Amino acid sequence: MPALVRQKSANLGQVGERWLAALPDLVADLRHRWSISPVAALSGGSASCVLRVRTGDGGEAVLKLAMPETGFDDQVRTLADAHGHGYAHLLAADAERHAMLLELCGPSMDQLTLPPELAIENLCHTLAQAWTVPRPSGAAVDPEQEKATRLARFVRDTWDRLGHPCSEAAVATALRFAERRASGFDLDRCVVVHGDPHPGNALRAAASRPGAESGFVFVDPDGFLAEPAYDLGVVLRDWCPQLLAGDAKSVARRYCALLAEHSGVDETAIWEWGFLERVSTGLFVLAFGAEDVARPFLETAELLL
């Protein structure tokens, strides 16, 4: 089990402990129900147990067992509605037990160590496919649950709870950007965003097929309604090693311009979402004890002020 998964499950207390303890019995049950046989554990991900399995017809697939409180229903709905466009094909799902069976894909984009510029281009092209997922019928967004509003609330509360682990200036900037994105919210411009389209969630497609023209497909969608700039801001949030190795602001501005160029989305909106996500992600990861993962996000946020 990846260390980050264990840290997250521990952060859930007894709920996480019960989830870990129940995994062997759950796998044994699904072996019979879905006619699968585990082959190996897979690395990657932060909120699930992921196994490569052999299927009854002699092929291979991926079994994902998500921990509680991870928005599993939204993941299943998004993958089912995508029908493989921008996403891995969903083969089976058990919503009650947070289990799903997915098509087997190749390595993730971060494992391929692509240059950031090429990764950004591929992520934009894959997102263009993912954004074609149809919106749920009658979908609406409660103003209090709009993404920028929720992130602002999280940043304020977590910064205080953790004893101000980054500067007040970084938090103030993140909150100002959150207010701007919330004030510009327009349901008519929203798409079903992935929600976390970083290179680790973009896998090499196993074969050339419709819906995977970029050569990659996404897994682990959050599947909520937001403007496309949100997903692009999440992409911009990463690249901490590159930012720390050079002129952080210049590097980040160049990557932001590339995201706008490849997507046709407003560059300012991407920048604002990117900074807000950088601060909120650093605080989120720090809150469950993974300081070594959290610190680069917060350090680069300071450099971008």
Side-chain angles (χ1 to χ4, degrees):
M1 187 74 67
L4 200 55
V5 177
R6 289 194 176 277
Q7 285 178 307
K8 276 196 175 182
S9 63
N11 197 53
L12 292 175
Q14 291 185 347
V15 172
E17 291 176 7
R18 286 195 296 269
W19 175 75
L20 280 174
L23 285 177
D25 288 340
L26 177 56
V27 172
D29 179 62
L30 293 174
R31 287 185 65 169
H32 297 289
R33 289 182 54 204
W34 288 346
S35 299
I36 55 176
S37 177
V39 174
L42 298 176
S43 61
S46 61
S48 59
C49 171
V50 185
L51 305 172
R52 191 169 87 249
V53 299
R54 187 168 292 108
T55 58
D57 60 4
E60 288 193 319
V62 171
L63 175 64
K64 176 182 175 181
L65 307 170
M67 67 176 62
E69 304 179 17
T70 55
F72 185 82
D73 290 346
D74 291 331
Q75 286 191 31
V76 170
R77 188 202 70 244
T78 303
L79 291 168
D81 290 348
H83 298 291
H85 286 271
Y87 289 99
H89 277 293
L90 178 68
L91 306 178
D94 184 332
E96 182 178 350
R97 307 180 78 180
H98 287 195
M100 67 173 71
L101 197 64
L102 297 164
E103 73 168 311
L104 180 67
C105 299
S108 64
M109 196 179 289
D110 61 348
Q111 291 173 318
L112 295 172
T113 62
L114 300 180
E117 295 80 3
L118 180 56
I120 286 170
E121 181 178 0
N122 284 326
L123 288 168
C124 286
H125 292 166
T126 310
L127 281 170
Q129 284 283 348
W131 292 334
T132 66
V133 172
R135 288 164 49 153
S137 177
V141 179
D142 182 331
E144 287 299 309
Q145 296 303 313
E146 182 273 328
K147 186 63 173 180
T149 300
R150 284 190 288 139
L151 284 178
R153 191 161 53 239
F154 173 82
V155 167
R156 281 193 300 266
D157 294 347
T158 308
W159 187 66
D160 281 337
R161 179 165 57 87
L162 296 180
H164 304 173
C166 61
S167 73
E168 186 174 359
V171 169
T173 300
L175 294 179
R176 185 172 74 252
F177 288 163
E179 183 178 2
R180 285 166 58 100
R181 299 325 313 156
S183 65
F185 178 79
D186 181 355
L187 185 60
D188 291 339
R189 294 190 297 108
C190 288
V191 298
V192 178
V193 295
H194 178 282
D196 197 19
H198 59 77
N201 277 337
L203 309 184
R204 175 79 76 183
S208 176
R209 63 167 176 80
E213 286 81 1
S214 70
F216 293 89
V217 291
F218 285 117
V219 293
D220 294 355
D222 293 329
F224 57 89
L225 292 178
E227 61 178 335
Y230 174 76
D231 268 346
L232 299 168
V234 174
V235 175
L236 182 60
R237 169 199 71 190
D238 289 330
W239 320 110
C240 291
Q242 289 80 7
L243 270 61
L244 291 170
D247 180 344
K249 190 173 292 187
S250 175
V251 173
R253 284 292 184 185
R254 182 163 58 86
Y255 292 169
C256 188
L258 286 172
L259 286 162
E261 176 185 343
H262 290 305
S263 67
V265 173
D266 177 66
E267 187 173 338
T268 298
I270 298 170
W271 181 264
E272 291 176 349
W273 278 119
F275 190 88
L276 175 57
E277 269 290 316
R278 190 175 297 278
V279 173
S280 62
T281 298
L283 293 173
F284 173 74
V285 178
L286 193 61
F288 63 79
E291 184 169 358
D292 56 336
V293 178
R295 279 297 166 194
F297 290 108
L298 298 178
E299 290 172 8
T300 51
E302 303 289 353
L303 295 175
L304 297 180
L305 292 172

